[in-house]
mmCIF file of all heavy atoms in Angstrom:
data_model
loop_
_atom_site.group_PDB
_atom_site.id
_atom_site.type_symbol
_atom_site.label_atom_id
_atom_site.label_comp_id
_atom_site.label_asym_id
_atom_site.label_seq_id
_atom_site.Cartn_x
_atom_site.Cartn_y
_atom_site.Cartn_z
ATOM 1 N N VAL P 1132 -4.783 17.132 3.021
ATOM 2 C CA VAL P 1132 -4.724 15.655 2.662
ATOM 3 C C VAL P 1132 -4.717 14.851 3.959
ATOM 4 O O VAL P 1132 -3.809 15.063 4.857
ATOM 5 C CB VAL P 1132 -3.425 15.260 1.889
ATOM 6 C CG1 VAL P 1132 -3.451 13.911 1.567
ATOM 7 C CG2 VAL P 1132 -3.405 16.146 0.637
ATOM 8 N N ALA P 1135 -1.072 10.039 5.403
ATOM 9 C CA ALA P 1135 0.224 10.072 4.757
ATOM 10 C C ALA P 1135 0.690 8.699 4.320
ATOM 11 O O ALA P 1135 1.774 8.353 4.556
ATOM 12 C CB ALA P 1135 1.216 10.790 5.586
ATOM 13 N N ILE P 1168 11.285 -1.303 9.595
ATOM 14 C CA ILE P 1168 10.466 -0.879 8.355
ATOM 15 C C ILE P 1168 11.366 -0.875 7.157
ATOM 16 O O ILE P 1168 10.975 -1.242 6.024
ATOM 17 C CB ILE P 1168 9.754 0.607 8.616
ATOM 18 C CG1 ILE P 1168 8.810 0.405 9.691
ATOM 19 C CG2 ILE P 1168 9.286 1.133 7.403
ATOM 20 C CD1 ILE P 1168 8.032 1.623 10.038
ATOM 21 N N GLY P 1225 -8.395 -6.675 -16.442
ATOM 22 C CA GLY P 1225 -9.788 -6.834 -16.440
ATOM 23 C C GLY P 1225 -10.558 -6.167 -15.230
ATOM 24 O O GLY P 1225 -11.670 -5.758 -15.359
ATOM 25 N N SER P 1258 9.791 -2.789 -21.171
ATOM 26 C CA SER P 1258 8.651 -3.050 -22.139
ATOM 27 C C SER P 1258 7.720 -1.867 -22.145
ATOM 28 O O SER P 1258 7.889 -0.858 -21.381
ATOM 29 C CB SER P 1258 7.896 -4.295 -21.727
ATOM 30 O OG SER P 1258 7.082 -3.962 -20.571
ATOM 31 N N PRO P 1278 17.816 -21.405 -5.482
ATOM 32 C CA PRO P 1278 17.369 -22.309 -6.619
ATOM 33 C C PRO P 1278 15.857 -22.666 -6.365
ATOM 34 O O PRO P 1278 15.250 -23.154 -7.328
ATOM 35 C CB PRO P 1278 18.311 -23.480 -6.605
ATOM 36 C CG PRO P 1278 18.945 -23.472 -5.211
ATOM 37 C CD PRO P 1278 19.100 -21.978 -4.822
ATOM 38 N N PHE P 1310 8.189 -9.287 -8.382
ATOM 39 C CA PHE P 1310 8.856 -7.996 -8.227
ATOM 40 C C PHE P 1310 8.335 -7.348 -6.946
ATOM 41 O O PHE P 1310 7.285 -7.581 -6.459
ATOM 42 C CB PHE P 1310 8.588 -7.190 -9.494
ATOM 43 C CG PHE P 1310 8.943 -7.852 -10.718
ATOM 44 C CD1 PHE P 1310 7.974 -8.162 -11.669
ATOM 45 C CD2 PHE P 1310 10.210 -8.244 -11.062
ATOM 46 C CE1 PHE P 1310 8.340 -8.765 -12.873
ATOM 47 C CE2 PHE P 1310 10.542 -8.893 -12.216
ATOM 48 C CZ PHE P 1310 9.594 -9.153 -13.093
ATOM 49 N N VAL P 1317 16.408 -1.148 0.268
ATOM 50 C CA VAL P 1317 15.617 -0.410 1.263
ATOM 51 C C VAL P 1317 14.171 -0.405 0.784
ATOM 52 O O VAL P 1317 13.935 -0.183 -0.392
ATOM 53 C CB VAL P 1317 16.102 1.011 1.506
ATOM 54 C CG1 VAL P 1317 15.105 1.784 2.347
ATOM 55 C CG2 VAL P 1317 17.593 1.023 1.982
ATOM 56 N N THR P 1321 5.799 4.652 -0.109
ATOM 57 C CA THR P 1321 5.536 6.019 -0.693
ATOM 58 C C THR P 1321 6.175 7.163 0.119
ATOM 59 O O THR P 1321 6.420 8.235 -0.359
ATOM 60 C CB THR P 1321 4.048 6.220 -0.837
ATOM 61 O OG1 THR P 1321 3.501 6.149 0.493
ATOM 62 C CG2 THR P 1321 3.452 5.343 -1.775
ATOM 63 N N GLU P 1350 -22.873 22.838 4.081
ATOM 64 C CA GLU P 1350 -23.922 22.106 3.315
ATOM 65 C C GLU P 1350 -23.239 20.803 2.849
ATOM 66 O O GLU P 1350 -22.985 19.978 3.642
ATOM 67 C CB GLU P 1350 -24.523 22.941 2.118
ATOM 68 C CG GLU P 1350 -25.333 24.217 2.722
ATOM 69 C CD GLU P 1350 -26.028 24.937 1.632
ATOM 70 O OE1 GLU P 1350 -25.803 24.693 0.440
ATOM 71 O OE2 GLU P 1350 -26.840 25.826 1.976
ATOM 72 N N ALA P 1353 -17.133 20.084 1.402
ATOM 73 C CA ALA P 1353 -16.131 19.896 2.460
ATOM 74 C C ALA P 1353 -15.254 21.102 2.542
ATOM 75 O O ALA P 1353 -14.647 21.536 1.519
ATOM 76 C CB ALA P 1353 -15.209 18.583 2.102
ATOM 77 N N GLY P 1355 -13.172 21.692 5.559
ATOM 78 C CA GLY P 1355 -12.014 21.586 6.429
ATOM 79 C C GLY P 1355 -12.121 20.317 7.246
ATOM 80 O O GLY P 1355 -12.879 19.363 6.945
ATOM 81 N N ASP P 1407 -26.755 11.255 1.980
ATOM 82 C CA ASP P 1407 -27.089 9.898 1.969
ATOM 83 C C ASP P 1407 -26.396 9.257 0.764
ATOM 84 O O ASP P 1407 -26.764 9.480 -0.448
ATOM 85 C CB ASP P 1407 -28.575 9.677 1.722
ATOM 86 C CG ASP P 1407 -29.066 8.228 1.610
ATOM 87 O OD1 ASP P 1407 -28.230 7.342 1.966
ATOM 88 O OD2 ASP P 1407 -30.169 7.957 1.129
ATOM 89 N N ASN P 1414 -18.678 -3.348 0.732
ATOM 90 C CA ASN P 1414 -18.023 -4.026 -0.434
ATOM 91 C C ASN P 1414 -16.516 -4.114 -0.366
ATOM 92 O O ASN P 1414 -15.849 -4.173 -1.386
ATOM 93 C CB ASN P 1414 -18.443 -3.398 -1.785
ATOM 94 C CG ASN P 1414 -19.964 -3.362 -1.966
ATOM 95 O OD1 ASN P 1414 -20.639 -4.400 -1.767
ATOM 96 N ND2 ASN P 1414 -20.481 -2.293 -2.283
ATOM 97 N N CYS P 1427 12.069 -29.884 2.155
ATOM 98 C CA CYS P 1427 13.001 -29.665 1.103
ATOM 99 C C CYS P 1427 14.033 -30.831 1.216
ATOM 100 O O CYS P 1427 14.550 -31.171 2.181
ATOM 101 C CB CYS P 1427 13.646 -28.321 1.300
ATOM 102 S SG CYS P 1427 14.733 -27.811 -0.041
ATOM 103 N N LEU P 1456 20.532 -11.366 2.502
ATOM 104 C CA LEU P 1456 19.149 -11.764 2.720
ATOM 105 C C LEU P 1456 18.379 -10.684 3.277
ATOM 106 O O LEU P 1456 17.174 -10.715 3.151
ATOM 107 C CB LEU P 1456 19.044 -12.974 3.633
ATOM 108 C CG LEU P 1456 19.572 -14.374 3.064
ATOM 109 C CD1 LEU P 1456 19.555 -15.432 4.173
ATOM 110 C CD2 LEU P 1456 18.787 -14.765 1.825
ATOM 111 N N ALA P 1477 -8.982 -14.135 -12.663
ATOM 112 C CA ALA P 1477 -9.237 -14.406 -11.197
ATOM 113 C C ALA P 1477 -9.220 -15.824 -10.903
ATOM 114 O O ALA P 1477 -9.264 -16.704 -11.769
ATOM 115 C CB ALA P 1477 -10.485 -13.728 -10.639
#
Side-chain angles (χ1 to χ4, degrees):
V1132 181
I1168 289 178
S1258 78
F1310 305 115
V1317 176
T1321 57
E1350 295 185 351
D1407 176 20
N1414 304 313
C1427 188
L1456 289 176

